[in-house]
Structure formats: structure tokens, C-alpha cells
Amino acid sequence: MDEEQKSVLLKSSSQFPIPPDVKFSYGTSGFRADALLLESTVFRAGILAALRSIKTRSMIGLMMTASHNKISDNGIKIADPSGGMLTQQWEPFADALANAPDSDRLLQLIVEFAEKENIKFDGDFRPEILLGRDTRPSGESLLEAAKQGIHSIVGSVGSDMGVVTTPQLHWMVRARNKGMKGSELEYFEQLSSSFRCLVDLIPGGSKTDSAENKLIVDGAHGVGGEKLDSLMKLLDGLNIEVRNSGKGTGILNEGVGADFVQKEKVVPDNFDSNDIGKRCASLDGDADRLVYFTVPSADSSKIDLVDGDKILSLFALYIKEQLSLLSTTGAEDNSYKPHLGVVQTAYANGASTDYLKGLGLEVALTPTGVKYLHEKAAEYDIGIYFEANGHGTILFSERFLSWLEDKNKELASASEGSQQQKAALRLLAVSKLINQAVGDALSVLLLVEAILQHKGWSIQYWNGLYQDLPSKQIKVIVKDRTAVVTTNAETQVASPQGIQEAINSETAKYPWGRSFIRPSGTEDVIRVYAEASTQDAADSLASSVAKLVDKYLGISSS
Ligand code: NG1
Ligand code: ZN
């Protein structure tokens, strides 16, 4: 690194001092905090993104969002060239950068890291960063800080994509690194044309949704509603009403959105007894999560939740069906059997895991956090992953896709329009519709709608695939949450000693009982999860386990 570069870094970073007494950590969802604390972090994330761009000789993404958190928070995460999350190897450097006490220490860290990683500031490559933000009011000024960070690596360029959903930005990074234009219009066109293709392949022809059968979407007063409106302009065959679109007076994520609906299991604002029985869905604040729900009766505000596990089950069923159509009726090519796998976390309802295993599917469990699920799903030819909270997608391996392209051509010349060829075309369309970079509420919504139309299923029928076991989540505040160390995809506690045995003997008292604890990655709490055959039993198991957490670690529980 030459002297000019060093002095640019020293000068610009002195304008973004870190706030006192705050420790930043690049968690499962990047940096997240009260927006007022984030200027220096965002500036430094800009530097990191530029360094990552030089190292990978590719375009990198920077997304400013705090997803489902309250409106006064914000956050920043980095998208790698594939459109996925920043490589885990760089996370410790991200932490160190964000917490460097002053400009000198910051510069020293960068110089050391650049040397270790062999990052060359030779000017041969022009680093480029795509910037996106959600609708939070703090986004615009934080964006300026991020740009300053990017510009303090000499020659780097930041391209502002404006207000976008998190998955849109990840998609754009991936697309551009593959040589596509990667514009918003291209994103909408890819989603709408692959949706149309799936609908055209419905046996007996496509049926436009009637006005009575429309889908009602809660946009969480965030970016998703507005983008869904734009997408709908390119779509036929779908009847969607968007509420809480972000244009009205409601506040982002307050009493609305996928996280609220999934955790509280009550109707979001602007939904009521007029919506009884209708197909409803909820996006989160940055539109990377989606859950469906129905309002079952006028007597209470409770909803029937159709969560990420049910979306996963619907997708698994459909993909499995297409694969078996593809392999039947005289398929000579027995040399290659695509490997389909599904990936869940310990939060997946036990009934969903049983259902998926009952379909003969391979089910893998990973720790909480999309990066772990994504990594595992990428090991399969087709890997479907979902968190119960509605974040997930379907990954297709390059090997499988090129086999499928060839297969489709072969079938088209031998038996155009056959069941087999249609199955190949459907799988190709799904691979284009569903975001390959991260979970994407808009593309998941279109795939759910296409499959429901294909099967002629109501949301009630879909929800009846299996009955969720009653479950309960509790947060416990402890002195030091890092004292809890888990193993076996967070289903067991390795430390403190003795607590796992105590949880086991508590759980054994309940039919269908299952319970685990883990430190949250986004809040300073221990999360307790319990499942049992009745709601009372699940509540009681959760509260007994929370008491154990208190006994072994705690101060007080909430
Ligand atoms: P933590 O706080 O680590 O439980 C929460 C969600 C995760 C994931 C992350 C990132 C639950 C129980 N946990 O993580 O699934 O979505 O936020 O946003 O929903
Ligand atoms: Zn989100």
C-alpha cells in the first residue's frame, strides 16, 4: 500500500470516529444497531467491501437494512460475488475493523490484513460496489458514509441501486458477476417470465385467479409492497391486493410484517374479520422472508399460520413430483440420479420434519443462520432450505442445470410436449424464478402461487398437509449469553455442564416433548424453544426450561 493510499485512509476515517462504549459484531445478518450508532460502522464496511472487491476481482454488494427490526435501527451486510453472504473467513476482520478505536489502529489493521490476504493495490482492477438500502429514513445519510468508505480505497466505485429489497441487491451482484446487466427491470422480467412459464405448463391450462380467490399481501410498510406492485404490472394470471405497502402512514414492522405474524400469531394491522378464510401473506421489512396465513374466525385476532416449514414442504412435494415425472416413462439415462435434499434448523416444527422424512426425503439440520443453511443446501443437486420464520430458497447445482438443459433438448426432439419434457421445463423455470443468491419473498411468493394453481389447492388444503405440533419460544436474559455453547446443530448444550441432563429429564415428562436452548445471534438473550402435544404442555415445558436457564446462568427471565 503506497503512502498516498495510507494518507487518504487516515484522513477520511478521522471524519467517522466510533461511538464510545459500543461493541459491534458481524452476526448472522451483518452489523445491526440503532441507526444513530452506525455511521462509522457503515463507513468501515465500505472499506471492507472495496478490499473484498479487489481480492475477488469481482463486484461486491453492500445492503443497508435492519430487516424486521424497529424503524430506528439499521444495519449493513456485505454480499460476496456469488450474491451470497460474505465469506465467514472475513468476519473476524469485519469485527476488528468495526471496533478499531482510532484511525491509526484502523490503518494498521488494513495494512496487516491486506498483506496477509495478498491484496494488491496495483490499480489493475477497478473495485466496484453495488449499494442498496431499504426504506428506513436513516438509509440515505448512512449511504453517504458507506460511499466515503468505498472512496477511501483509491479508484473504487460505488454504484447506488437506490431503494431495493435485500434479495434484489444480492441478485444484482450475482447477475452482474455473471456478465448480465443485472438491472431491476431484468430482475422483474426474469421473475415474471419464469412464473408465466410455470403457469402455462399447468395441466389443463392456466387459470387466472378470480377476484374472490385473490391473494392479500401485508407489505410490512416496507420496500416489498412497492416492488410487488411493480412486478404485478408485468404479470397476468395473478390477482394480488397489497396492504401496508409503505405508501400510507403506518410504521415499518410495527404490528405488521412476517416476523410479527410468525412470532405473535395474530392478524397484522389492516386485516380483520372481512378477510376470514382468504389467502393472506406477509413480507418482512426488507422482503427476504415470507409467511402465509388465514384469519380463521371473527372471535379472536389469532391467525392460522402457514410458515416457512410449510412452504418448504410444498416446494419439496412439487420438485419431487417433477423429478419423478422426469425419470419415468422410458428414461434411458439411468447414469445420473439428481440428489434432492432439504435443510432445516432446530426451530423447524417436528411435524414438518416427520412429514418430509415420510416423503422419503433426506433432511439435514444446521445451526440457525441463513449462511449455514445455504452452505448445506449447496451440497445437493437440488437443495431446498427454509427457516420456520419464512427465509429460504431452492438451490440448483450447475452440474444439475446443465444436465437438465441437455435432457430438455433431447426430450424436445424425441417427444416434444411429453410429460417428461414438461417436467424438465418446469424445473428449469423454477431455477430461474427462485433466487439463487438468498431467500427472496417475492420469488417465493410467485412459486407458491404457481404451485397452488398447478395443484388446484386452497391455502386451507395446503395447511392441512400436516398439523404443526404446538410450540413456544421464550427469551431469557442472562449475565453472559456466550456461556451457552451448543453442539449438534444447536439441539444440545455442551456447556455449562449439567444443564443438558436437566433439560432432558424435563422434556421426558411430556409426550412429543422437544426442547433446546441457544444464545441468540441478534439479541442479547438466550432463546428457549419447546414443543409438545398440547399448547399448555409446550408452554409449561418452555417455562420449566427457562427456569433451568435462570438457575444455571441467569439473573431474570422475560
Ligand atoms: P437469532 O436472534 O440468532 O435467533 C434470528 C432468527 C434467525 C435468523 C436471524 C437473522 C429466530 C428464532 N431466529 O436469529 O432465524 O433469521 O434472526 O435475521 O427466528
Ligand atoms: Zn429480512
Side-chain angles (χ1 to χ4, degrees), residues 67-68 284 286 288-289:
S67 182
H68 56 275
D284 78 338
D286 61 340
D288 62 354
R289 287 196 200 174

Side-chain angles (χ1 to χ4, degrees), residues 63-102:
M63 180 70 198
M64 209 109 38
T65 175
S67 182
H68 56 275
N69 285 33
K70 55 184 187 294
I71 190 163
S72 52
D73 283 356
N74 215 326
I76 188 141
K77 52 185 157 192
I78 293 149
D80 250 3
S82 65
M85 311 290 262
L86 171 71
T87 176
Q88 289 170 48
Q89 278 102 22
W90 275 45
E91 285 182 9
F93 177 57
D95 285 344
L97 267 197
N99 294 301
D102 53 45

Side-chain angles (χ1 to χ4, degrees), residues 25-32 77 85 91 368-372 518 520-522:
S25 149
Y26 196 89
T28 43
S29 49
F31 294 111
R32 249 185 230 186
K77 52 185 157 192
M85 311 290 262
E91 285 182 9
T368 304
V370 175
K371 61 187 171 195
Y372 301 114
R518 56 175 281 278
S520 159
T522 60

